[in-house]
Amino acid sequence: MNSDVQQINRFFSKKRFRLTLIIVILGMAYVGASIGLGFQTHSLLNVQDGIAWLIQNFIPNEASKGYWNEILQQLFRTFLVAVAATTCAAIVSLFLAIVGAKTLTPAITVSWVIRAFSSLLRNIPIVAWAMILLFSFKQNDLTGFLALFFMTLGFLTRAFMETIEDFGTEKVQALQATGATYLQVIAQGLLPEIAVALMSWILYMIENNVRDATLVGLLTGTGIGFIFNLYFKSLRYGAAGLVVLSVIILVVSVELISNLIGRLLS
Amino acid sequence: MLTVNHLTKSYDGEKMSLTDVSFSVRPGEVTVIIGPSGAGKTTILRSINQLIRDDDGEILFDDTDMRQLNRRQLRQARCRIGMIFQNYNLIEPLTAIENVLHGCLGTKSNLAGIFSMYRNREKEEALQLLQKVGLGEFAYQQCRNLSGGQKQRVGIARALMQRPKIILCDEPIASLDPKSTVTVMDILRDLAVNDGISVLINLHQVDIARKYADHVIGINNGQVVFDNRAKLLSDVAIANIYQKNVNTEGSLVHEF
Ligand SMILES: Nc1ncnc2c1ncn2[C@@H]1O[C@H](COP(=O)(O)OP(=O)(O)O)[C@@H](O)[C@H]1O
Ligand SMILES: [Mg+2]
């Protein structure tokens, strides 16, 4: 009995010690990073001045309303690039995931190669993708499209592959037992079972890519990211504020629509 | 009809899952394989239609060895071997009738199967089969909304769509309530008696085996320890089939 209590106490003091240690390490990391960056903690106190400046300058005024037309046009282009990149990547991913899933792969080495490939694509940040592609494709929509495409390809291949592996081998075998071919098993068994899961991954990726596309546009000089940069650098803050507002509206409505579709599907 | 000779299988090359298993199944009879869990019942059943590649032996289905067939020939042979499972293995988001129609994929061209281009004759047959298992009114229900017993009956209709000579059943009632158990077993019995289909069932419930089987094969530790008419299945024989034995990992196996 007594030794039980001791054991519990030892457990808790060990846990408390570990927690303290973590807090101390985090604190030291913060101090170290602040010194390294020359970042002044007390300037955080002035943050309200910055926000006040933002509010004063970025609130769209009468003059900036004239930019609506151009903004909407660029917003639409950005949206299209995001949707096109996602759907194209989804189609290629589905193929790669079927061939790469451990339960359906023709050879385990193929599965490893596809896994490594998708992990490579996925782990290169979107900004790095955009900059790499800038060298070969210069500043145009194709560069943004490809950057989103490659990143999405890596992500969706992995996600689809896991979805397919969850489907298991038993149902595959049940259809094989009827004498069905490989492609018949995939079309009649696998795809109907995973369709809803695939759709929700694709919708999630579209949401994500709409957000990323604005960022990529900054670098590739296209779409909504480009005109934000343009207005901002030419001190047209009201118009730039309008761009930010339009992006927020787009992202929120894409998310709402995607939730709606998701609910209809399930 | 179906004869298995000297079947041998080891999954890891060390521990034998099947050792020299031989038995035969007569047309129009219910043959039940009983034995403790881990005895090798599933391995035997899946070797018959070669979902599992065994190591050695002979599986004669209508006098051709299933083990010697190439891919195309194997597909054709599988068409005449129905199979149902403990977990039903239906495609849940599809309707009952779509699942039943999967039973004729083996006889269709690749493209026709992929794009669900079924003939009217096939659709009518699928509907009749659903009526036969008492699910006519559930034809357009998604399978995910059916009860366990109903799912298993859809599974049987899918197997029947293959116009099988034999139906392999791997623990078909292990997940069912007593009432559904009776329904499903009665249907299987009826297929043997009235349609002349051979029915080979893995079971672990001895009472059900006694009630429904014509012939019983007892498996223990990958070996046939009983192979005789059901009425000769004595308590001594059952004790022998289910005897405790120490497996290679050293743990006791004595489950029912
Ligand atoms: N996929 C597998 N990999 C390795 N060993 C397996 C596999 N499937 C079955 N076994 C082994 O083969 C033996 C027989 O299993 P199984 O045929 O499933 O028995 P039963 O169906 O009678 O319960 C067991 O010892 C089991 O551990
Ligand atoms: Mg089993």
Side-chain angles (χ1 to χ4, degrees):
Chain A
M1 204 65 221
N2 206 4
S3 78
D4 277 356
V5 173
Q6 276 179 357
Q7 199 186 347
I8 294 171
N9 283 340
R10 229 176 305 139
F11 168 76
F12 275 107
S13 56
K14 229 190 263 174
K15 210 171 159 177
R16 214 170 297 135
F17 173 73
R18 236 178 291 155
L19 190 65
T20 319
L21 196 69
I22 289 171
I23 291 173
V24 168
I25 291 175
L26 285 178
M28 286 183 346
Y30 174 73
V31 172
S34 311
I35 293 169
L37 291 171
F39 180 69
Q40 316 253 288
T41 304
H42 60 77
S43 65
L44 275 178
L45 298 175
N46 294 333
V47 86
Q48 72 267 33
D49 293 347
I51 290 173
W53 182 88
L54 264 181
I55 289 172
Q56 267 165 26
N57 288 285
F58 267 81
I59 292 295
N61 50 27
E62 279 307 311
S64 53
K65 296 220 170 97
Y67 293 101
W68 256 131
N69 229 340
E70 191 178 9
I71 291 175
L72 283 181
Q73 223 175 331
Q74 294 300 334
L75 195 66
F76 188 61
R77 262 176 86 173
T78 306
F79 175 73
L80 281 188
V81 166
V83 172
T86 314
T87 43
C88 289
I91 291 165
V92 181
S93 295
L94 183 59
F95 172 77
L96 289 179
I98 288 172
V99 180
K102 286 204 183 95
T103 47
L104 288 172
T105 188
I108 195 74
T109 29
V110 175
S111 173
W112 286 335
V113 170
I114 291 177
R115 240 161 255 270
F117 174 71
S118 80
S119 151
L120 179 75
L121 293 187
R122 204 171 52 242
N123 284 307
I124 297 176
I126 187 79
V127 174
W129 269 121
M131 294 201 293
I132 295 166
L133 291 162
L134 265 178
F135 288 114
S136 354
F137 296 99
K138 306 292 178 276
Q139 291 202 322
N140 62 44
D141 276 332
L142 185 65
T143 310
F145 171 87
L146 287 175
L148 292 171
F149 173 84
F150 283 124
M151 207 268 301
T152 310
L153 185 65
F155 187 91
L156 284 183
T157 301
R158 181 57 191 269
F160 288 180
M161 208 142 54
E162 272 169 15
T163 308
I164 291 171
E165 280 165 5
D166 283 345
F167 173 68
T169 48
E170 275 248 318
K171 290 184 185 197
V172 173
Q173 291 186 331
L175 286 185
Q176 281 173 341
T178 68
T181 61
Y182 182 78
L183 290 178
Q184 286 173 342
V185 172
I186 287 169
Q188 290 291 337
L190 178 71
L191 293 183
E193 281 271 355
I194 63 173
V196 171
L198 294 196
M199 265 323 284
S200 54
W201 277 121
I202 292 171
L203 288 173
Y204 168 79
M205 249 2 239
I206 287 180
E207 280 174 43
N208 213 55
N209 282 347
V210 167
R211 274 187 295 255
D212 281 355
T214 57
L215 180 68
V216 168
L218 274 177
L219 294 162
T220 61
T222 53
I224 197 77
F226 170 69
I227 54 171
F228 175 80
N229 207 13
L230 186 73
Y231 296 157
F232 188 77
K233 287 195 172 142
S234 55
L235 309 179
R236 284 174 278 177
Y237 295 131
L242 207 56
V243 171
V244 173
L245 188 69
S246 71
V247 168
I248 292 172
I249 291 170
L250 176 68
V251 169
V252 169
S253 34
V254 165
E255 187 164 341
L256 288 178
I257 292 168
S258 132
N259 284 347
L260 190 74
I261 297 175
R263 229 173 305 135
L264 287 179
L265 280 177
S266 57
Chain B
M1 151 86 247
L2 176 73
T3 304
V4 174
N5 289 323
H6 312 298
L7 191 65
T8 300
K9 167 77 179 174
S10 170
Y11 285 96
D12 53 10
E14 239 177 72
K15 181 176 159 285
M16 299 304 295
S17 291
L18 296 180
T19 315
D20 195 16
V21 169
S22 301
F23 65 91
S24 55
V25 173
R26 274 159 261 188
E29 276 194 4
V30 176
T31 305
V32 171
I33 303 178
I34 58 171
S37 110
K41 305 184 293 297
T42 299
T43 309
I44 293 175
L45 222 61
R46 290 178 170 230
S47 299
I48 291 172
N49 59 3
Q50 294 287 290
L51 288 178
I52 291 177
R53 291 288 171 162
D54 51 83
D55 300 338
D56 199 12
E58 205 178 32
I59 297 162
L60 297 174
F61 176 61
D62 277 351
D63 300 322
T64 48
D65 189 352
M66 293 291 289
R67 307 174 69 256
Q68 309 293 334
L69 304 178
N70 66 29
R71 273 169 88 107
R72 225 175 54 97
Q73 291 167 324
L74 180 60
R75 249 169 40 81
Q76 274 164 0
R78 279 175 175 168
C79 290
R80 297 287 164 256
I81 304 177
M83 192 167 199
I84 65 173
F85 304 82
Q86 176 180 347
N87 305 319
Y88 327 118
N89 288 335
L90 302 175
I91 306 307
E92 303 265 325
L94 297 184
T95 58
I97 190 141
E98 286 171 295
N99 271 283
V100 176
L101 282 164
H102 284 166
C104 66
L105 285 176
T107 60
K108 303 190 77 65
S109 75
N110 210 354
L111 280 182
I114 290 170
F115 294 108
S116 313
M117 295 188 287
Y118 300 109
R119 293 181 226 299
N120 283 338
R121 180 186 62 69
E122 290 164 337
K123 292 176 196 159
E124 281 163 22
E125 189 175 342
L127 197 60
Q128 278 161 12
L129 288 171
L130 277 174
Q131 281 157 358
K132 183 182 169 110
V133 297
L135 293 175
E137 73 222 81
F138 294 95
Y140 301 102
Q141 290 265 328
Q142 281 188 321
C143 284
R144 67 153 75 99
N145 298 328
L146 301 179
S147 72
Q150 291 169 333
K151 284 180 189 175
Q152 195 55 289
R153 283 186 274 158
V154 174
I156 294 173
R158 174 171 72 184
L160 289 177
M161 191 72 201
Q162 294 175 243
R163 301 196 173 165
K165 290 191 165 168
I166 182 170
I167 295 189
L168 311 173
C169 314
D170 195 1
E171 308 266 359
I173 52 168
S175 313
L176 300 183
D177 58 84
K179 193 158 164 284
S180 306
T181 295
V182 173
T183 316
V184 165
M185 288 307 296
D186 283 350
I187 291 174
L188 292 175
R189 165 95 238 170
D190 180 67
L191 295 177
V193 174
N194 294 328
D195 301 336
I197 298 171
S198 306
V199 180
L200 180 59
I201 312 175
N202 281 351
L203 282 181
H204 58 261
Q205 304 93 325
V206 176
D207 51 329
I208 308 265
R210 274 203 165 120
K211 185 172 165 203
Y212 287 93
D214 296 308
H215 197 93
V216 173
I217 294 156
I219 303 285
N220 184 300
N221 199 21
Q223 283 168 307
V224 177
V225 295
F226 182 91
D227 182 359
N228 219 325
R229 307 309 287 170
K231 56 179 180 288
L232 298 175
L233 185 64
S234 62
D235 290 343
V236 177
I238 289 169
N240 189 37
I241 294 167
Y242 284 93
Q243 72 180 294
K244 299 175 183 182
N245 68 292
V246 180
N247 68 17
T248 42
E249 282 115 47
S251 59
L252 281 176
V253 179
H254 56 104
E255 288 166 72
F256 267 68

